[in-house]
């Protein structure tokens, strides 16, 4: 029986004109959860609410399996480390702050990441700074990792290496990962659950395999044909001079009902684009 790792219940938060609205979802222990959304959708705000960096206006976040603060390692997309310190000094500081700090593990992780221990943070690229933050999170012996856009700014080889590290972390069934990313291919590769957030609202949350099995793209020459075939299965529509397409949530049923129809499998990228740029139904 799976136990819950993160329980988000009715979380809302407002900043000026932005509103994160009534977010509820539960991520089981031992899974990788991925959050997808455009810039300003609310992913970082939700991540900060989950981590405790921001207090929700309403709603609650709980960690049924976390026994101590060090159980949760957090990596935000912005680097808040002192720019004039090098990694050797940072390790000594964390050794005095974190009871389970693994200095040897921190050094080994940075070596594997190709980050010099004696180079100041201000002289590191954005990608290297992200690697330092990730190494810090891993060196606290956490049971849970929260990663906000961790692969942004990394080259393909570095991204592949980073994802391998995340997969290695989750091999311990007691570990859990929550990761946001604009790179849907990364989440399609490693995530077990996917949350789509748009304009501060949770528009979809389910197991990744169930989402990919359910959704498809129905392509037709005109809207009349699209509406006739898609019916209530249409989630959103995109039109062009060459025809129109619809994100549908019952591709297998439509394929059976209309064997002549062109219905492609939908990737997470397709679902993201239709969610953000399509006409919602």
């Amino acid at each position: 029986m799976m136990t819950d790792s993160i329980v988000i219940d009715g979380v809302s938060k407002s900043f000026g004109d932005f509103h994160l609205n009534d977010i509820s979802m539960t991520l089981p222990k031992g899974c990788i959860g991925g959050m997808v959304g455009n810039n300003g959708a609310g992913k970082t705000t939700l991540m900060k609410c989950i981590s405790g960096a921001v207090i929700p206006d309403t709603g609650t976040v709980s960690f049924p399996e976390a026994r101590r603060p060090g159980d949760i390692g957090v990596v935000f997309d912005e680097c808040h480390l002192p720019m004039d310190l090098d990694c050797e000094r940072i390790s000594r500081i964390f050794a005095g702050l974190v009871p389970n700090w693994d200095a040897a593990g921190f050094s080994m992780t940075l070596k594997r990441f190709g980050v010099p221990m004696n180079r100041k943070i201000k002289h590191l690229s954005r990608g290297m700074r992200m690697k330092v933050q990730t190494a810090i999170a891993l060196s606290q012996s956490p049971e849970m990792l929260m990663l906000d856009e961790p692969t942004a700014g990394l080259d393909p080889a570095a991204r592949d290496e980073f994802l391998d590290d995340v997969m290695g972390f989750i091999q311990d069934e007691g570990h859990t990962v929550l990761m946001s990313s604009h790179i849907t291919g990364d989440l399609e590769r490693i995530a077990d659950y996917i949350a789509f957030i748009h304009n501060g609202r949770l528009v979809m949350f389910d197991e990744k395999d169930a989402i990919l099995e359910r959704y498809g793209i129905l392509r037709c020459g005109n809207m009349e044909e699209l509406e006739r075939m898609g019916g209530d299965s249409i989630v959103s529509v995109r039109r062009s001079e060459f025809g129109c397409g619809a994100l549908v949530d019952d591709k297998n049923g439509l394929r059976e009902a209309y064997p002549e129809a062109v219905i492609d499998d939908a990737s997470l990228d397709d679902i993201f684009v239709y969610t953000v740029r399509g006409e919602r139904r």
Side-chain angles (χ1 to χ4, degrees), residues 140-177:
Q140 298 178 55
S141 303
E143 293 187 2
M144 182 188 309
L145 281 180
M146 294 177 53
L147 310 169
D148 189 15
E149 299 289 348
T151 57
L154 300 183
D155 61 58
R159 277 174 43 218
D160 186 70
E161 180 182 41
F162 179 86
L163 295 177
D164 283 345
D165 283 332
V166 173
M167 292 293 289
F169 177 79
I170 206 70
Q171 292 307 304
D172 184 328
E173 294 183 357
H175 289 169
T176 305
V177 175

Side-chain angles (χ1 to χ4, degrees), residues 89-103:
R89 177 60 177 159
I90 287 172
S91 183
R92 291 197 294 271
I93 291 173
F94 273 92
L97 297 174
V98 179
N100 293 315
W101 179 253
D102 183 1

Side-chain angles (χ1 to χ4, degrees), residues 74-91 93-94 97 101 106 110 115 119-137 140:
V74 182
V75 179
F76 286 121
D77 63 341
E78 299 176 356
C79 182
H80 298 290
L81 296 171
M83 293 290 108
D84 285 324
L85 297 185
D86 61 23
C87 292
E88 291 179 352
R89 177 60 177 159
I90 287 172
S91 183
I93 291 173
F94 273 92
L97 297 174
W101 179 253
F106 178 68
L110 289 184
V115 180
R119 187 174 298 174
K120 292 184 178 180
I121 299 299
K122 66 182 178 181
H123 294 145
L124 298 177
S125 67
R126 185 194 183 282
M128 283 192 169
R129 291 175 186 176
M130 185 63 73
K131 290 178 180 180
V132 173
Q133 294 182 91
T134 302
I136 290 171
Q140 298 178 55

Side-chain angles (χ1 to χ4, degrees), residues 3-272:
T3 56
D4 296 335
S5 181
I6 306 174
V7 179
I8 304 166
D9 185 13
V11 166
S12 298
K13 183 67 181 180
S14 296
F15 291 107
D17 293 333
F18 173 77
H19 304 283
L20 190 69
N21 293 291
D22 194 24
I23 305 292
S24 295
M25 59 183 183
T26 299
L27 184 64
K29 186 176 183 179
C31 295
I32 298 177
M35 290 199 298
V36 180
N38 60 323
N39 288 328
K43 303 187 304 299
T44 297
T45 298
L46 179 58
M47 192 78 79
K48 288 182 176 180
C49 288
I50 296 170
S51 70
V54 166
I55 305 301
D57 295 333
T58 59
T60 60
V61 178
S62 59
F63 305 91
E65 291 295 306
R67 297 184 297 275
R68 54 186 174 81
D71 280 347
I72 304 169
V74 182
V75 179
F76 286 121
D77 63 341
E78 299 176 356
C79 182
H80 298 290
L81 296 171
M83 293 290 108
D84 285 324
L85 297 185
D86 61 23
C87 292
E88 291 179 352
R89 177 60 177 159
I90 287 172
S91 183
R92 291 197 294 271
I93 291 173
F94 273 92
L97 297 174
V98 179
N100 293 315
W101 179 253
D102 183 1
F106 178 68
S107 178
M108 289 178 60
T109 300
L110 289 184
K111 183 176 181 180
R112 191 172 72 253
F113 284 168
V115 180
M117 285 286 288
N118 60 355
R119 187 174 298 174
K120 292 184 178 180
I121 299 299
K122 66 182 178 181
H123 294 145
L124 298 177
S125 67
R126 185 194 183 282
M128 283 192 169
R129 291 175 186 176
M130 185 63 73
K131 290 178 180 180
V132 173
Q133 294 182 91
T134 302
I136 290 171
L138 289 171
S139 300
Q140 298 178 55
S141 303
E143 293 187 2
M144 182 188 309
L145 281 180
M146 294 177 53
L147 310 169
D148 189 15
E149 299 289 348
T151 57
L154 300 183
D155 61 58
R159 277 174 43 218
D160 186 70
E161 180 182 41
F162 179 86
L163 295 177
D164 283 345
D165 283 332
V166 173
M167 292 293 289
F169 177 79
I170 206 70
Q171 292 307 304
D172 184 328
E173 294 183 357
H175 289 169
T176 305
V177 175
L178 180 62
M179 170 178 162
S180 70
S181 180
H182 286 100
I183 307 173
T184 55
D186 289 350
L187 297 181
E188 195 158 336
R189 171 181 163 186
I190 68 171
D192 300 296
Y193 286 78
I194 296 292
F196 282 88
I197 298 177
H198 185 51
N199 291 336
R201 296 185 180 277
L202 182 66
V203 297
M204 187 187 306
F205 177 70
D206 204 345
E207 293 185 50
K208 178 194 67 183
D209 290 344
I211 291 173
L212 295 178
E213 176 66 21
R214 180 181 174 188
Y215 286 86
I217 306 297
L218 171 63
R219 305 187 189 280
C220 296
N222 56 69
M223 281 300 299
E224 290 76 14
E225 186 180 21
L226 193 78
E227 294 282 2
R228 177 180 65 83
M229 290 185 176
D232 293 338
S233 295
I234 295 177
V235 178
S236 62
V237 173
R238 295 193 69 195
R239 315 174 197 228
S240 73
E241 57 183 307
F242 307 106
C244 50
L247 177 67
V248 293
D249 63 4
D250 183 19
K251 68 180 179 185
N252 294 323
L254 292 181
R255 282 170 174 168
E256 183 176 347
Y258 302 100
E260 75 281 9
V262 177
I263 306 174
D264 299 328
D265 293 335
S267 65
L268 293 182
D269 196 49
D270 292 326
I271 298 171
F272 174 61

